Amino acid sequence: MSDSDPPSPSSLLDRAPCPNCGEPWLRPTQLPGRLRCVNCLSRFELVSQCPDCGTHQTIARMTNTADMQCQSCGGSMLRAA
């Protein structure tokens, strides 16, 4: 990405993209580890075991959008709730 390229929408909002619709509108709910997309209203749960490869991660360390990806395979650590 060069300096002349516009930033992506997810970097502007500093939010993770929704696994369902792809828009950067995931917001935490009142329940810990639960997120909801404001755009498509889908609900997600942050899980400790990767749904793709089965690798375990510590949820307490998943505090930003980068931590919502599996460190082993790069898959999403969000599961539809």
Side-chain angles (χ1 to χ4, degrees), residues 15 25-46 68 78-81:
R15 293 189 185 123
W25 289 103
L26 279 181
R27 288 194 177 168
T29 65
Q30 292 180 344
L31 297 172
R34 303 287 175 109
L35 300 121
R36 181 173 213 159
C37 178
V38 179
N39 185 53
C40 69
L41 302 179
S42 297
R43 296 177 185 183
F44 300 95
E45 176 181 16
L46 189 59
M68 290 185 193
L78 297 174
R79 178 179 61 167

Side-chain angles (χ1 to χ4, degrees), residues 8-22:
S8 67
S10 61
S11 66
L12 286 174
L13 297 173
D14 196 29
R15 293 189 185 123
C18 173
N20 190 38
C21 70

Side-chain angles (χ1 to χ4, degrees), residues 50-53 55 57 65-66 68-77:
C50 177
D52 294 335
C53 70
T55 302
Q57 289 184 191
T65 58
M68 290 185 193
Q69 291 182 344
C70 177
Q71 294 173 356
S72 296
C73 72
S76 176
M77 296 296 286

Side-chain angles (χ1 to χ4, degrees), residues 33 46-49 56-63:
L46 189 59
V47 294
S48 61
Q49 186 173 3
H56 183 270
Q57 289 184 191
T58 305
I59 290 180
R61 294 182 183 166
M62 297 181 185
T63 56

